[in-house]
Amino acid sequence: MPTILHAVAGYFILLFLVRVLKRRAGSQMTLFEFVLVFLMGGIIILSTVGNDRSVTNCTCAVMAVGLMHRGVAWAKSKSPRIGAIVDGTPLVVIRDGVIQEEVMRGMKLRTEDLEAAGRSSGVTRVEDIGYAVLERNGRISVFGKS
Amino acid sequence: MGAQPFTSPVEDSVPKVGEGEKAIAVGENLEFQRKWWRFERVVWAVFLVILVCDVMGLLGRGWLAKAKATTPELTLDYERVARAGTPSVMTLTFGDGAIHEGKIRVYVSDSVVKPLGAQRIAPQPAMSMVGDGGITYTFDASRAPAVVQIALEPSFPGVHDFTVKVEGDQEIDGKVLVVP
């Protein structure tokens, strides 16, 4: 029983911690997936299983984390608000050719991030980007001026 | 009765950027994001406070977690804030008046054994006697200072009261906050 409570607490603590971290530009994983990576990587799992490293205990802990993940995914599918809280929303970084300084500052983005995103989309100069969107998974989608 | 036709119009509710045919459905919610940024600033301030409290020992294992209680014949050092499943030590230092005919008799309440999780006692007592809601340990002793240590490992969170008393001396009542 304590293990399951610890796993539930660990899941939400880590989900919250990762969520309040900034989205890393260029990241290929959503923050949502990071939760599992961290948890199963063993940070919270140390306090989750404690001294009981039996197969039964560890299996129960992993099952509890899986169940939490499924529950949060279900809640996200039912409520856009919960989805926005857990994953955030996409943010427009360049709007009609104009860099949105508020978003750049808020998301700790640098012009180099926009240049890199532009290059990966075949746009060589930031000035040629019409729209750039920071996606929920940290990737920047670029649309050239046309 | 036939199936009712759908009457709700199909709408695209995703917020867009751009105009006309070049509009891009992004789903941006900048107002929500502004609130989130404010929330993040508060959260990081709270995290900072928690970390400072931790460094100072308010969450256990630090300067403010240490406590000392004294009677004429006993000085008790313990941690007023302990962590569940984490070792801590209770140190009893006896004065000359605690030694009677080469023996020290000290009573500790059951709570030291159960919720506070006494793991071992050093040195081993010559005799242990249970009763009165606790254990009375008897140690062979020559003269002060005489020190006994009880290794604790609290098993579950909460506020746990305990009592320690040396024969012929005042009792010490204390509380230990065990955090998860």
Side-chain angles (χ1 to χ4, degrees), chain A residues 16-17 19-23 51 81 84-85 88-93 95 102-103 105-107 131 133 135 143 146, chain B residues 16-19 22-24 26-30 32-37 39-41 43-44 47 85 153 157 180:
Chain A
F16 180 70
L17 272 169
R19 179 66 179 91
V20 296
L21 291 172
K22 300 293 180 201
R23 259 175 274 180
N51 294 327
R81 188 79 181 165
I85 290 170
T89 62
L91 290 168
V92 179
V93 188
R95 187 187 299 269
E102 181 189 12
V103 176
R105 246 190 341 269
M107 300 310 291
Y131 288 94
V133 180
E135 305 291 357
F143 303 89
S146 54
Chain B
K16 298 179 182 63
V17 294
E19 299 291 331
K22 291 179 184 169
I24 305 165
V26 172
E28 183 186 46
N29 187 343
L30 200 51
F32 169 81
Q33 189 61 42
R34 287 189 183 115
K35 284 181 192 162
W36 186 264
W37 282 328
F39 173 68
E40 276 184 359
R41 281 196 287 274
V43 166
W44 286 110
F47 283 178
E153 194 173 311

Side-chain angles (χ1 to χ4, degrees), chain A residues 73-88:
Chain A
W74 175 81
K76 284 195 323 178
S77 73
K78 293 290 173 191
S79 163
R81 188 79 181 165
I82 293 175
I85 290 170
V86 174
D87 279 338

